[in-house]
Structures are given as structure tokens and as C-alpha cells.
Amino acid sequence: MNNLIKESLAKLKQKNIRNPELDLRILLKHASKKNNEIILSNLNIDNIDIVKFNSFLKKRINRQPIAKIIKSKPFWKNNFYVNNFVLDPRPETELIIEEVLNIYRNKNLKLKILDIGTGSGCIAVSLAKEFKNASITAIDISKKALEVAEKNLKIHNCYNQIQLKMIDFKNINSKFDLIVSNPPYLTNEQFNNADPEVKNFEPKLALVGGDDGLKFYREYSNNLKNLMNKSAHFICEIGINQRQNCEEIFENSGLYLNKIVNDLQGIQRILSFSKI
Ligand code: GLN
């Protein structure tokens, strides 16, 4: 094996990075002049821009997440531009899309959708692509996050379907058929104990939901019903061990829990509510 690879792997392993081989392949691919798939045992070093690769490797050793280094993360069926002002789209959040597709079998529906805390815009764009007649309002209180979402709308050509707004959801006053959200739900303690990849490179604003992580669910529960059409659905992501609290919070506000979806680790992750 090439020395560059051996040394780079050793450095990544020394920093306890979980998937050193995979990370190395991705970084090499993005530093390669041909942008082709990398096979570590058979690397042609001449195709690698070494200066670029070394700068990537240094960032990764510093525990910067891969997506933040290469500024791209796959979610559902597309790649999304990301930077430090948004959460990297996570695979468990794709379960929201899956659940929406379970509920609405007819992809031609003219759904009116609200995405609260859109961040990179990954949920809104993915829904726009699945439901070509849907019109989506995607909101966030972070201007910097909305700039990222805007970029993703442009990349994925969704301007005609998605309207971005810098607004607190409390100030929204129209009605929707579907509301989706992946709000900040970590407790302060969980955030403090999070991996450096999360703690040092992702926006705290998008991660922490107050001391017990439930702040946003409580806020949503006060208003959400007024934003929902008669047969509307509300689908949100939750943190570990938050199912019971969230169920109570929303049922007290008159929503019914229809479904709990577990993620691949078996954690109750997505809650799907309806008004009737
Ligand atoms: N699942 C994320 C994490 O653990 C948190 C996402 C969120 O707060 N919505 O890093």
C-alpha cells in the first residue's frame, strides 16, 4: 500500500475516527484530478492533488465532518450543499420523507406543506421532487441557514415550488395539509457530550432544544393545530427517549399520534400526528 495512504490512515486512527478507510477514500476522491472512485490498494497517486488532499486530511484530523469538508451530503435522492451554518442532513431524517410517502400515495396531490426549521432545505427539496404539484413554505430563523437552503433550491431547480421565509413559526398564519419538522432537540448536556464533529462544526441553534430538549415541541403544540387543515398531518423527528413526553405534549394540544417510526438503531425517531 502506498505510503501516503498508510500514513494518512494511521493519523485518522490515532484520532479515533470511526471509519478511517471510508473517510480516506472520500477525501482522496474529492482531491483527485479525475474525481473517480478510489481503491486504496490500487491508488494512482499522480491523479491526486496532494496539496488539496493534505488540507482535507488536516481538517478531518481536526474532527471536521466529511460533509463539511467536501461541502456536500447525500439525502434521500439528491446531494445537498452544506456548510457550518446548517446541520448535515442525517439518514434518520429521511424517515420523514418515507412517512410522508406512506401517507400520501397520490404523488399528484396539490399539497400545501410547511417545513419548520428547514436548515439546508433537504426535507423541503426532497418533498418538492416527490410531489411535483406541492407548494412548500420552508422557514427558518437563521439567515445563514436560509442562504444555504437558497443555494440548494437553485441546485435542484425548486424555485417554483418552495418559498423560503425568515420567520418564526409563531408568526405563520396560513393553513397547511402537511407540516414537517426536524427541530433542535438535544439537551444541553447531550450537546456538551456530543462528538467534536457535531459540537464544533454544527450550529448549536439547530441542535439544542433547551435544558430538556423539548422546548420546540412545547412551542409547536401551542400553535400547530391552528396551522393545520382539517385532515392535515404533522410529522416530526424526536431525540432519544422523547417519545412519551412528545406524545403527551401534542395529545394535550389535541393532536393524535398515529405512528411511531424507529430508526435503524431501533430508536423511536419519527412521530406522525393528525388533527382528526
Ligand atoms: N440527531 C442529531 C444529533 O444527534 C440532532 C438533530 C436535531 O437536534 N434535530 O446530532
Side-chain angles (χ1 to χ4, degrees), residues 87 90 92 182-186 194 198 202 206-208 237 269:
L87 279 192
R90 309 228 193 312
E92 54 270 30
N182 173 21
Y185 56 63
L186 296 187
V198 173
E202 301 219 278
L207 285 161
V208 177
E237 183 170 322
R269 186 59 76 184

Side-chain angles (χ1 to χ4, degrees), residues 44 52 60 66 87 152 158 163 176 233 236 246 254 261 265:
N44 181 355
K52 201 170 180 183
R60 188 67 193 108
I66 286 282
L87 279 192
N152 282 315
C158 289
Q163 197 188 10
F176 299 87
H233 291 264
C236 67
C246 284
V261 183
Q265 295 170 309

Side-chain angles (χ1 to χ4, degrees), residues 25 42 47 69 80 151 165 173 184 186-187 223 239 249 253 261 265:
R25 277 178 48 207
N42 186 20
N47 289 338
I69 300 173
F80 289 86
K151 208 163 169 160
K165 276 189 189 163
N173 49 23
L186 296 187
T187 65
N223 282 45
I249 289 170
S253 77
V261 183
Q265 295 170 309

Side-chain angles (χ1 to χ4, degrees), residues 134-152:
S135 68
I136 304 174
T137 304
I139 65 172
D140 210 294
I141 53 169
S142 159
K143 185 168 178 272
K144 292 284 187 188
L146 285 169
E147 284 169 15
V148 175
E150 167 98 38
K151 208 163 169 160
N152 282 315

Side-chain angles (χ1 to χ4, degrees), residues 165-202:
K165 276 189 189 163
M166 193 169 101
I167 188 172
D168 190 302
F169 88 97
K170 289 182 220 113
N171 299 323
I172 295 275
N173 49 23
S174 41
K175 289 199 187 282
F176 299 87
D177 304 309
L178 170 67
I179 301 177
V180 288
S181 185
N182 173 21
Y185 56 63
L186 296 187
T187 65
N188 276 311
E189 199 191 336
Q190 284 169 330
F191 177 77
N192 291 332
N193 294 328
D195 287 342
E197 279 85 350
V198 173
K199 209 167 114 179
N200 299 339
F201 296 97
E202 301 219 278

Side-chain angles (χ1 to χ4, degrees), residues 65-82:
I66 286 282
K68 300 283 198 258
I69 300 173
I70 63 170
K71 303 249 180 299
S72 173
K73 175 93 191 214
F75 178 84
W76 197 243
K77 297 177 181 171
N78 293 290
N79 286 317
F80 289 86
Y81 169 79
V82 291

